């Protein structure tokens, strides 16, 4: 799908029918025919198009003749059927050619949606550098939002684990830990691209753009620090609960062992009296029952004392 937008005189983003100078062309899930249009009609570089449609493409900045490709890893979230929220990143490709800006995404993108819904203020499609930096700033803000959600989710799961250790909570913690790895890796890749833009060799930076770029770098750095801290906390939490699970398992095994020993005592006594021999004392039903009860009590007392000594 190819949509064309342009900022009106009242600083509102409006959809237009034809592309001209100062337009933003948003491309989402392009078909083969639309890809051909981008190459033939708008003259976009074929390699840039292929890179933009690669879901595994990492954040980078590249310039070729009169075109500049900027790929930014943007955060996304997904609610699964088991009510587990997973976080991942998807590339957002930005191509600057002449006086127009192209954004290409393989699927629906949160940053682009926020832009279309008016959640990014002061956007002007004619100011290409500022437009790109505002997209990157919004991506950093979403990173911070998702990191806070991960922190809240991990705290909530931790409270449930205090009450009862279940596989579902452990799996949710693992998913959050995996999400943090994805977010952290993408943030570091974005930082490399931002530093390359900061040097001013890829796109021209004006004075206002320098301030905006510094804000993006600060937000990105803060997100990296938060992801590192939350990842360390989650790792420590997983290790702690692993120890708790092992301790609980030892307690269960101890109880089963005690029950096995206690149940074995009457079995041994009755086995002796079940033999075809007349040498056993008082071969009557009540006597082995009495001996079994006394033996079970003695064994239980001994085991309880040994457990208290181990504590």
């Amino acid at each position: 799908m190819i949509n064309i937008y342009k900022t009106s005189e009242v600083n509102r983003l409006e959809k237009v029918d034809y592309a001209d100078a100062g337009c933003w062309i948003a491309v989402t899930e392009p078909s083969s025919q639309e890809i051909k249009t981008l190459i033939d009609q708008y003259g976009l570089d074929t390699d840039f198009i292929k890179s933009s449609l690669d879901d595994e493409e990492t954040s980078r900045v590249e310039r070729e003749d009169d075109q500049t490709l900027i790929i930014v890893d943007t955060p996304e979230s997904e609610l699964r059927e088991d009510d587990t929220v997973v976080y991942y990143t998807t590339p957002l490709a930005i191509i600057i050619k002449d006086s127009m800006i192209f954004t290409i995404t393989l699927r629906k993108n949160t940053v682009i949606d926020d832009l279309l819904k008016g959640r990014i203020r002061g956007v002007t499609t004619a100011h290409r550098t500022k437009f790109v930096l505002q997209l990157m700033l919004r991506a950093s803000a979403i990173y911070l939002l998702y990191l806070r959600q991960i922190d809240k989710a991990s705290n909530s799961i931790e409270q449930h684990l205090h009450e009862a250790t279940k596989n579902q909570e452990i799996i949710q913690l693992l998913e959050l830990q995996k999400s943090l790895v994805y977010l952290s890796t993408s943030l570091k890749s974005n930082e490399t691209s931002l530093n390359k833009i900061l040097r001013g060799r890829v796109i021209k930076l004006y004075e206002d753009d320098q301030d905006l770029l510094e804000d993006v770098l600060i937000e990105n750095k803060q997100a990296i620090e938060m992801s590192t801290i939350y990842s360390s906390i989650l790792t420590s939490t997983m290790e702690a609960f692993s120890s708790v699970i092992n301790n609980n398992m030892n307690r269960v095994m101890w109880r089963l062992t005690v029950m096995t020993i206690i149940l074995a005592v009457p079995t041994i006594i009755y086995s002796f009296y079940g033999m075809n021999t007349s040498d056993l004392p008082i071969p009557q039903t009540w006597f082995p029952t009495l001996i079994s009860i006394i033996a079970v009590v003695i064994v239980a007392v001994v085991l309880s004392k040994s457990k208290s000594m181990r504590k």
Side-chain angles (χ1 to χ4, degrees):
M1 181 183 297
I2 298 177
N3 293 315
I4 305 172
Y5 300 93
K6 191 173 184 180
T7 305
S8 63
E9 296 179 356
V10 292
N11 290 328
R12 291 183 58 184
L13 197 63
E14 295 181 352
K15 190 174 181 180
V16 296
D17 296 328
Y18 302 99
D20 57 0
C23 281
W24 163 43
I25 301 174
V27 184
T28 305
E29 299 181 25
S31 63
S32 57
Q33 182 60 41
E34 289 172 336
I35 293 174
K36 190 174 184 299
T37 301
L38 292 174
I39 297 173
D40 296 340
Q41 181 177 338
Y42 295 103
L44 297 187
D45 188 272
T46 305
D47 292 334
F48 283 1
I49 297 292
K50 290 180 180 179
S51 299
S52 303
L53 298 176
D54 186 1
D55 198 25
E56 301 298 328
E57 192 71 34
T58 58
S59 178
R60 63 188 178 91
V61 180
E62 187 176 340
R63 184 174 179 83
E64 187 70 32
D65 297 331
D66 61 339
Q67 301 180 37
T68 302
L69 170 67
I70 303 173
I71 296 180
V72 182
D73 287 330
T74 57
E76 300 290 337
S77 63
E78 179 183 351
L79 180 63
R80 293 185 175 176
E81 294 180 357
D82 58 352
D83 294 333
T84 301
V85 181
V86 294
Y87 301 87
Y88 59 95
T89 58
T90 183
L92 167 63
I94 305 170
I95 300 177
I96 302 175
K97 184 181 184 298
D98 299 330
S99 57
M100 293 184 292
I101 300 175
F102 298 81
T103 59
I104 303 175
T105 56
L106 279 172
R107 59 186 65 88
K108 191 176 180 181
N109 188 279
T110 303
V111 175
I112 300 299
D113 286 347
D114 288 350
L115 176 58
L116 294 175
K117 292 176 181 177
R119 295 174 182 170
I120 305 177
R121 297 180 179 179
V123 175
T124 304
T125 56
H127 299 161
R128 298 174 299 170
T129 304
K130 184 178 179 181
F131 183 87
V132 172
L133 294 177
Q134 285 176 318
L135 289 179
M136 300 181 78
L137 182 62
R138 184 59 185 176
S140 298
I142 297 174
Y143 272 113
L144 291 172
L145 174 64
Y146 286 172
L147 287 169
R148 294 189 185 98
Q149 291 179 0
I150 290 175
D151 183 48
K152 291 181 180 179
S154 62
N155 289 334
S156 176
I157 295 171
E158 185 176 345
Q159 293 298 323
H160 285 90
L161 282 171
H162 281 302
E163 299 172 2
T165 304
K166 297 180 180 179
N167 290 336
Q168 183 180 359
E169 281 77 10
I170 303 262
I171 292 173
Q172 288 176 345
L173 281 178
L174 287 172
E175 290 291 344
L176 291 178
Q177 194 171 30
K178 191 196 307 183
S179 299
L180 279 174
V181 173
Y182 289 144
L183 296 183
S184 178
T185 303
S186 297
L187 282 166
K188 292 175 182 177
S189 297
N190 287 348
E191 185 180 35
T192 302
S193 299
L194 286 168
N195 287 327
K196 192 171 182 179
I197 294 174
L198 181 63
R199 291 193 289 268
R201 298 178 182 177
V202 182
I203 54 178
K204 186 176 181 180
L205 295 174
Y206 299 92
E207 185 176 351
D208 293 340
D209 299 332
Q210 290 281 358
D211 296 335
L212 183 57
L213 179 56
E214 289 177 2
D215 291 340
V216 179
L217 283 167
I218 291 172
E219 291 278 322
N220 195 81
K221 186 176 181 180
Q222 183 182 355
I224 291 174
E225 292 175 352
M226 287 178 61
S227 65
T228 302
I229 293 171
Y230 293 158
S231 181
S232 299
I233 293 173
L234 261 183
T235 301
S236 301
T237 303
M238 291 291 294
E239 292 176 354
F241 279 109
S242 177
S243 300
V244 170
I245 291 170
N246 291 333
N247 188 34
N248 291 341
M249 182 64 69
N250 291 335
R251 290 182 178 180
V252 172
M253 293 304 296
W254 167 257
R255 291 170 183 170
L256 290 174
T257 303
V258 169
M259 293 176 62
T260 302
I261 294 173
I262 291 175
L263 293 175
V265 172
T267 303
I268 294 173
I269 294 174
Y270 277 103
S271 296
F272 282 122
Y273 275 89
M275 295 178 182
N276 295 325
T277 177
S278 59
D279 295 334
L280 294 174
I282 314 177
Q284 298 181 15
T285 304
W286 65 269
F287 184 71
T289 303
L290 179 61
I291 294 177
S292 299
I293 294 173
I294 295 173
V296 166
V297 172
I298 294 173
V299 171
V301 171
V302 171
L303 290 175
S304 63
K305 286 185 177 180
S306 65
K307 184 178 180 181
S308 60
M309 289 176 64
R310 288 194 300 116
K311 291 181 179 180

